[in-house]
Each structure stands twice: as C-alpha cells, then as structure tokens.
Amino acid sequence: MNEADSRERDLARIEAAAAAPRGKTPPRGCGHFDIHIDHHGSWFYRGTPINRASLVRLFSTVLERDDLGQYWLTTPVERGRITVEDAPFVAVEMDRVGEGPDQQLIFRTNVGDFVTAGAAHPLRIDTDPATKTPRPYLLVRNGLEARLLRPVFYALVELGREERVGNTTLFGVWSEKTFFPLGPLTDDA
C-alpha cells in the first residue's frame, strides 16, 4: 500500500470514529494522530493538506484542549493529540448588529462557527514577541480560540472608541455590554 492510500485509509478511520455515536466506554488513546493545524488555520494529515471542508468541520467539532494546553481530537471511539501552531481556528469575517455597548460583534470562523463576542466569548489581544504587533483572538468554546485575520482586526479597530474605565481611558470595542480593550492609547504630540 502506498503512502497516499495509507493516509486516506487512516483519515477515513478517524472520520468514522468522529461520526460514531457516543458509547459507554471511554475512547481508546491513540497517541499522536499526526494532524497539524498551521498558523493560517489549514489542516494537514501527515504533511498533506486536508482539503475536504466537511472533514475539517467534523474534526473541529471533536477538538478539545486540555489544562496543559495540548490539543486532542476526542471521538467516541479514539482520542489522539494533534499539533496546533497558533490557534485552531481563524476568524475570517465579522458583522456588527446595533451600536454602542449593546452592539453585537459576530464572527465567522474558517470552519463555519458563528461566535458573538461577549462575556462568554471574550476578545483578547496578545503581542507577537518578535514583531511587537498585536495578535487578536476570540474564545470560540472550551479553551479553543480563533485568531482574527488582519482585515477582520482592522475592521474591529475601525469600530473602536475611547472609553473611561476606572481612572484610565482605554481604546476598544463593545459587544454584548462588555468592553474589550484593543490596545493602549498613545500621545503623538
């Protein structure tokens, strides 16, 4: 059996396990599945892109992150680690409903999830240590985040405003009555 046939057979096995009904016995540990999600949110198996959107979507529904920050595909039958370069998902689009503190900022991920930023799904801004540029993230579910694509982040910044929080003025956005700081205010004078 050649490498491509072996990859397809293994992916079909993992797919069948992910689609199986939940049983009473815990899933069998399988070590590392050799699945990798790169910085752009693309999924790979044994170094080969997984091009079937429906398969990536299915796998995304059984993705978990443990307390140590490791990522797992946990199917009803099998459980195996996967490698995630940055965040498992990418926010590819944002819509706004309403205005001001009551507005809703709704994000669509690369796997088709729709997530509204708010107390249950906070936005956070990290800083790339090498470039010192902002890296924005949105909590999707259970410790799994989506990194906002640059155009999505720019659209978010366009909605930003200054708000007084305690004794400090911050620049950020509102969504579902929660204020999310986007970055420090600078004096260019």
Side-chain angles (χ1 to χ4, degrees):
M1 178 179 299
N2 66 33
E3 180 66 23
D5 290 340
S6 176
R7 269 195 310 269
E8 286 302 314
R9 185 193 73 230
D10 289 348
L11 271 179
R13 177 186 50 79
I14 298 168
E15 179 181 19
R22 295 272 173 204
K24 291 183 181 181
T25 59
R28 176 176 55 91
C30 293
H32 196 279
F33 276 148
D34 203 7
I35 293 176
H36 172 85
I37 304 172
D38 75 4
H39 178 75
H40 304 289
S42 298
W43 291 57
F44 296 83
Y45 180 65
R46 293 187 187 170
T48 300
I50 301 174
N51 293 320
R52 286 182 32 216
S54 62
L55 183 58
V56 169
R57 173 69 185 149
L58 176 64
F59 287 170
S60 78
T61 66
V62 296
L63 183 61
E64 298 177 347
R65 187 174 186 194
D66 68 18
D67 294 338
L68 300 175
Q70 294 180 329
Y71 293 90
W72 299 83
L73 286 184
T74 303
T75 75
V77 180
E78 299 176 327
R79 182 172 196 254
R81 268 189 339 277
I82 70 167
T83 303
V84 177
E85 219 173 274
D86 184 4
F89 309 124
V90 177
V92 297
E93 186 176 274
M94 179 190 71
D95 287 318
R96 176 177 75 168
V97 176
E99 292 186 21
D102 294 327
Q103 76 183 353
Q104 294 180 318
L105 301 176
I106 305 163
F107 296 85
R108 182 177 61 84
T109 71
N110 61 318
V111 295
D113 290 321
F114 288 87
V115 182
T116 302
H121 300 281
L123 287 163
R124 73 175 180 88
I125 308 297
D126 197 4
T127 303
D128 184 306
T131 65
K132 305 298 184 218
T133 58
R135 290 191 311 200
Y137 297 90
L138 171 70
L139 180 64
V140 175
R141 65 176 178 276
N142 303 325
L144 301 174
E145 292 183 310
R147 182 181 48 79
L148 278 61
L149 287 180
R150 185 169 292 159
V152 175
F153 182 56
Y154 289 162
L156 186 67
V157 169
E158 286 293 318
L159 299 175
R161 59 197 265 186
E162 293 181 20
E163 288 287 335
R164 192 86 175 143
V165 179
N167 294 330
T168 308
T169 301
L170 300 172
F171 180 78
V173 294
W174 287 97
S175 185
E176 292 195 329
K177 298 185 187 319
T178 303
F179 185 73
F180 298 102
L182 296 179
L185 293 174
T186 59
D187 292 329
D188 293 327

